[in-house]
Amino acid sequence: MSIYIIFALNALLFASVLFLLTAGLNIIYGVMRIINLAHGNLYALGAYVTAWVLLTVGYQAFPGPLLYIVPPIIGVLVVGLGALIMEPTLLRPMYKRIEEFQLLITFGVLLILEDLFLLIFGPYPLSVREPYTFLGVSKIGDLSYPNYNFLVIALGFIVAFALWFLLYKTKFGIILRATSLDREMAAAMGVNVKSLFTVSFVIGAMIAGLAGGFIVTKDTAVLGMGIEALVLAFVVMVIGGLGSMKGAFVGALIVGALRQIGTAYFPEIELAILWLIAAVVLTIKPQGLFGR
Amino acid sequence: MSGTDRRGFLKAVGAGVGGLIVGGLAGYFGAPPKEVVKTETVTTTVGGAAQTVTKTVTVGQTARPTPSGPIKLGLQVFFTGPGALLGLPAAYGTRMAVKEINDAGGILARKIELLERDEGPSDATLREFRKLVLEDKIDYYTGLISSGNTPTVGPEAEENKVLTLFVDGCTDILFERAIPNPHYVFRITNIQSSDAITAAVGTMKLLFDRGLIPENPKITGIHPDYAYGRLIYDFYNTAMKKMLPDAEILDQQFPGLFKVTDFSAQITSMIQQRPDLAIVSLWGGDYVNWYKQAIGFGLFDKMKVVTTLTFGGSPQAVGKDHPAGHVGGVHANYWFTNPDWTLWPLNGKFVKKFKDMWGEYPSFEGEGAYTGAYMLKGAIETAAQEVGGYPDEEEIIPILEQWSTYGPAGYIQVRKKNHQCYKNAVIGVTGTSPEYDFAVMSEVLVLPIERVSAPAEYDTSKQWLESWPVGFKP
């Protein structure tokens, strides 16, 4: 029995990470209609900076709960700053051009960031373990489950709730959704679309950075992590529907659950499972589960 | 065709008569220039032991002038992406050897110019290789990390007649199927099947013989889903089943290489199988992620773990939190504390130089690349003695084919049949040491390479493995 509880927790853990990755991508796509290929390495940047802070300053510098707050927040802020520079300088000149330009620019940033990681942080994985091990493990039957994973699961739900609140319960959210539906009409109503784009891009990037900051203590900061994360996020985005936050949430849960089942019972086709789900959803509902 | 004939001739007459060949060929191809023939005695190193050979060399106008300009050595390894974890140490090894050789005057007074290119997916790697050959006109080529790339580049190197020393990319397929009769291509690191069999023999010596696993172990595992992981899965489990016929091989996991960072699902599934033993061939960032998460799930307390590449990246890549008392591999090649620095000072000196130059301890890739560069130098210089001038590839190859030498890792020899190098295989017990702030081998097991690799009379390593009688323990 206990193994099934752990299976369920694993599914939630994976879903939580996928949601955090996809949520930012969806905000950016929903508002700006940009597929931000650099998103994966903005996530990796959050991971690298957080790990670097913990390794250079030392975990002792952050007593108590600060260990779980300050280093990831530094990571998030660096990513936010990067996004703040990237949007007006690289993306803004591309809005009026055909989409291929945006894809090329964001893909270029993805590659540049990858080599910057190699240049700055070196080729070896940056591994920090204290925040992960300090929380210990929970006993579920005769099995162990790392408590840190509960934190990551919780983070996914907290960010989902915060985004729902921001989008549906605040004036900013209404403006954001209105701009997403009809950019020209929103501009005609006096919305400063330019700054709204910047803010959306920075928020989307910071969620990715947050995911990276929290994931790095459980995993490692390693070259290539951003590119793989990007691919996964796209799968979830396609399943859930482009630009749909609800789609990201449900899509992440579906992928998380089916991946765990696949790994446990059909390990040979674990990799194929993600694509099979996407193929089935696209065949039945080409716009994704909650796409417009 | 003429190359083969000449090679056959050399094989028959022996490497000590190169001067005669030069004279003979000169006579064959045209009017012989005025020659001064004299007999001299030179000492040359053949077969690892110094021996004195008396030979006839032609000097005077037929002594070939050394080509002007530097020797262009192409180096291709992963400088970017997750593979840089193995690629950079290899580049460090080559660069260090090249610097030492150049500082000492080069090879036959020619400096080496290193032309470095990135390794990537097969198509991109091949494109860069062709550019090195056709545009940069390299003299020799070294490098390559991935087993996906050597079978692609190998045939091209043969076709373009480029003397090639692969550092890694150690798949058995290269010399079994891609180029079954290699002429220009050689490879330095131990063959991949030896890696799997070393892990299996290590399991027996370090776990079974000590009563740490039963006679009928249930074996699970996790491997990267590409040529390497599939081979380790196949060879390791086959070897274990031969040695312990009552072993039960369970379903094993195959996540994509560098495609998974969260291994929770795989780890839980492995625990669910309630095995006695797990064989793990993940490497680099994948291994670090896996072991860290596996600790959290208590996997190391529930089974013994045997790996092929715990210590395969840079030694400092695996932290001190790595559980002790399991079996960790180095791709069956080299671990920097072995051979003992006092007994084998060459290793101690190498490690110190490497650490001073690069700020890290050498991995098996670094050692292999370094030794490979010196092998090339040695073979060129020996061939030069034989032919009385700067040798071409056809004159270096017969020398390399019977080359044996020693490097920081100990003795290494080339097998003429498949152009593969062989050196003693290494695996060990995971642990810590107060001297190092990373996980180390607390006990090193060195296996004579002939015990863990197929003898030359077998066409494939698998044939040899399958020929083991049940219960055979090499």
Side-chain angles (χ1 to χ4, degrees):
Chain A
M1 184 57 207
S2 49
I3 194 81
Y4 298 108
I5 296 172
I6 290 189
F7 280 173
L9 289 171
N10 285 342
L12 282 177
L13 175 74
F14 196 55
S16 170
V17 176
L18 286 178
F19 172 74
L20 290 171
L21 278 168
T22 316
L25 206 56
N26 260 333
I27 288 181
I28 294 168
Y29 179 79
V31 177
M32 304 162 71
R33 289 288 177 269
I34 277 189
I35 305 255
N36 178 24
L37 295 176
H39 197 73
N41 270 347
L42 293 174
Y43 156 78
L45 180 63
Y48 265 108
V49 171
T50 306
W52 182 82
V53 167
L54 281 164
L55 289 172
T56 46
V57 182
Y59 67 91
Q60 301 90 337
F62 309 101
L66 288 183
L67 183 60
Y68 300 91
I69 298 168
V70 178
I73 292 297
I74 296 174
V76 168
L77 290 177
V78 171
V79 174
L81 187 68
L84 198 61
I85 297 167
M86 185 182 162
E87 196 276 335
T89 53
L90 293 175
L91 294 181
R92 200 172 287 168
M94 299 298 142
Y95 292 144
K96 289 189 178 150
R97 302 195 181 201
I98 51 171
E99 282 173 355
E100 284 85 340
F101 281 88
Q102 298 163 4
L103 289 176
L104 277 176
I105 285 277
T106 53
F107 189 59
V109 174
L110 180 86
L111 295 180
I112 290 168
L113 280 174
E114 186 75 8
D115 276 353
L116 279 179
F117 298 152
L118 179 67
L119 194 71
I120 298 168
F121 302 109
Y124 309 121
L126 294 193
S127 181
V128 281
R129 29 189 68 81
E130 288 79 13
Y132 182 68
T133 49
F134 282 178
L135 286 185
V137 297
S138 292
K139 281 282 169 197
I140 299 173
D142 60 338
L143 300 170
S144 309
Y145 194 77
N147 286 335
Y148 189 85
N149 290 5
F150 289 113
L151 190 66
V152 178
I153 294 171
L155 184 73
F157 282 96
I158 291 167
V159 170
F161 176 79
L163 282 176
W164 170 81
F165 190 83
L166 180 79
L167 289 175
Y168 292 92
K169 299 290 169 189
T170 65
K171 192 180 170 197
F172 175 75
I174 294 167
I175 294 170
L176 209 67
R177 284 188 292 135
T179 312
S180 153
L181 283 172
D182 192 331
R183 190 185 302 178
E184 276 156 17
M185 185 56 83
M189 300 292 282
V191 173
N192 184 345
V193 175
K194 219 182 249 183
S195 59
L196 191 73
F197 272 25
T198 310
V199 173
S200 311
F201 190 77
V202 170
I203 290 176
M206 283 169 78
I207 297 173
L210 186 71
F214 271 89
I215 216 69
V216 76
T217 31
K218 181 178 82 66
D219 303 349
T220 50
V222 59
L223 294 172
M225 67 183 288
I227 293 166
E228 288 314 316
L230 182 72
V231 174
L232 287 176
F234 274 135
V235 176
V236 174
M237 206 175 168
V238 163
I239 291 172
L242 292 183
S244 161
M245 205 54 72
K246 202 198 287 177
F249 190 76
V250 176
L253 282 173
I254 292 174
V255 171
L258 287 178
R259 177 186 179 251
Q260 172 59 59
I261 294 167
T263 309
Y265 299 105
F266 315 102
E268 282 288 333
I269 57 160
E270 180 217 326
L271 273 180
I273 283 175
L274 288 183
W275 306 102
L276 276 176
I277 308 165
V280 170
V281 169
L282 286 181
T283 311
I284 298 166
K285 220 166 169 238
Q287 70 275 36
L289 292 175
F290 298 93
R292 288 197 294 266
Chain B
M1 204 44 216
S2 67
T4 313
D5 289 344
R6 197 160 42 177
R7 194 155 65 105
F9 177 67
L10 262 182
K11 190 165 70 176
V13 184
V17 292
L20 287 176
I21 298 166
V22 175
L25 284 179
Y28 179 79
F29 284 119
K34 191 181 168 190
E35 286 181 2
V36 182
V37 180
K38 71 171 185 178
T39 303
E40 64 179 28
T41 304
V42 293
T43 303
T44 184
T45 306
V46 179
Q51 50 181 265
T52 304
V53 262
T54 306
K55 60 172 188 168
T56 308
V57 293
T58 52
V59 293
Q61 288 184 11
T62 55
R64 272 177 266 174
T66 300
S68 61
I71 296 167
K72 287 186 173 182
L73 176 62
L75 169 69
Q76 197 174 14
V77 292
F78 291 113
F79 286 102
T80 56
L85 180 85
L86 295 187
L88 276 182
Y92 293 163
T94 305
R95 286 178 192 165
M96 192 167 112
V98 165
K99 184 177 184 303
E100 285 175 10
I101 293 168
N102 282 344
D103 287 351
I107 301 176
L108 300 172
R110 289 178 76 190
K111 292 283 170 77
I112 303 174
E113 181 190 342
L114 203 54
L115 288 87
E116 297 183 349
R117 298 290 181 271
D118 202 6
E119 183 178 350
S122 290
D123 53 341
T125 304
L126 191 58
R127 203 165 47 239
E128 288 298 320
F129 172 79
R130 284 180 181 146
K131 276 164 77 178
L132 275 172
V133 173
L134 301 173
E135 289 176 22
D136 300 315
K137 305 211 180 304
I138 50 168
D139 297 293
Y140 315 113
Y141 175 84
T142 189
L144 289 196
I145 301 300
S146 169
S147 284
N149 287 333
T150 46
T152 310
V153 174
E156 286 275 319
E158 288 286 332
E159 200 178 312
N160 288 290
K161 302 185 175 179
V162 181
L163 180 54
T164 293
L165 280 182
F166 288 139
V167 170
D168 196 1
C170 61
T171 174
D172 293 52
I173 289 167
L174 175 66
F175 294 128
E176 286 180 3
R177 274 186 267 160
I179 30 175
N181 297 301
H183 183 60
Y184 295 94
V185 176
F186 294 79
R187 184 169 55 193
I188 295 158
T189 44
N190 278 337
I191 203 163
Q192 214 163 70
S193 49
S194 301
D195 190 10
I197 294 169
T198 299
V201 176
T203 306
M204 298 301 288
K205 301 266 174 220
L206 301 171
L207 297 177
F208 179 77
D209 289 353
R210 296 173 182 184
L212 296 170
I213 55 167
E215 273 191 39
N216 55 345
K218 291 205 283 182
I219 305 174
T220 185
I222 181 165
H223 313 271
D225 189 17
Y226 75 114
Y228 177 69
R230 294 280 167 183
L231 185 138
I232 297 293
Y233 165 80
D234 182 13
F235 276 68
Y236 179 86
N237 290 307
T238 308
M240 288 306 293
K241 197 79 186 146
K242 287 279 188 185
M243 294 187 287
L244 298 174
D246 295 329
E248 185 186 345
I249 312 300
L250 305 169
D251 278 349
Q252 305 193 359
Q253 303 284 339
F254 289 93
L257 177 69
F258 303 138
K259 293 200 185 309
V260 175
T261 50
D262 174 43
F263 288 97
S264 308
Q266 286 86 353
I267 292 165
T268 316
S269 298
M270 290 167 79
I271 293 172
Q272 184 203 14
Q273 294 172 309
R274 299 187 181 279
D276 302 294
L277 181 67
I279 169 70
V280 179
S281 60
L282 300 176
W283 57 272
D286 279 351
Y287 182 73
V288 178
N289 280 333
W290 179 85
Y291 92 75
K292 200 167 143 184
Q293 293 162 23
I295 294 172
F297 282 92
L299 180 140
F300 285 92
D301 304 326
K302 294 182 187 299
M303 63 194 82
K304 282 290 174 188
V305 173
V306 175
T307 76
T308 51
L309 276 164
T310 292
F311 299 111
S314 181
Q316 51 269 52
V318 174
K320 270 193 154 168
D321 62 336
H322 190 287
H326 297 266
V327 176
V330 278
H331 213 23
N333 273 282
Y334 167 78
W335 174 245
F336 75 101
T337 62
N338 181 79
D340 183 273
W341 297 351
T342 318
L343 299 174
W344 191 255
L346 188 63
N347 189 33
K349 281 183 202 155
F350 167 72
V351 172
K352 185 176 182 313
K353 275 189 291 188
F354 198 96
K355 178 84 166 54
D356 288 346
M357 188 176 269
W358 305 111
E360 60 186 67
Y361 291 96
S363 68
F364 77 90
E365 300 281 17
E367 193 277 339
Y370 178 83
T371 303
Y374 272 101
M375 271 173 67
L376 189 63
K377 174 180 187 284
I380 293 170
E381 287 175 348
T382 305
Q385 284 184 336
E386 306 293 345
V387 301
Y390 196 90
D392 64 22
E393 291 84 352
E394 301 298 340
E395 290 152 345
I396 301 167
I397 286 165
I399 304 291
L400 259 183
E401 280 182 331
Q402 56 181 339
W403 196 253
S404 75
T405 184
Y406 48 86
Y411 287 96
I412 178 167
Q413 64 200 27
V414 181
R415 184 179 286 176
K416 185 176 176 181
K417 183 188 171 194
N418 61 358
H419 283 199
Q420 167 70 43
C421 291
Y422 293 83
K423 63 172 173 279
N424 283 345
V426 172
I427 195 161
V429 179
T430 59
T432 53
S433 157
E435 283 173 70
Y436 304 104
D437 58 358
F438 46 85
V440 296
M441 283 189 188
S442 57
E443 182 184 347
V444 181
L445 175 70
V446 180
L447 295 168
I449 190 66
E450 58 272 17
R451 281 172 59 191
V452 292
S453 55
E457 58 264 31
Y458 288 88
D459 287 335
T460 67
S461 303
K462 196 66 196 287
Q463 279 177 9
W464 174 63
L465 182 59
E466 281 169 350
S467 76
W468 288 15
V470 171
F472 175 70
K473 295 184 179 70

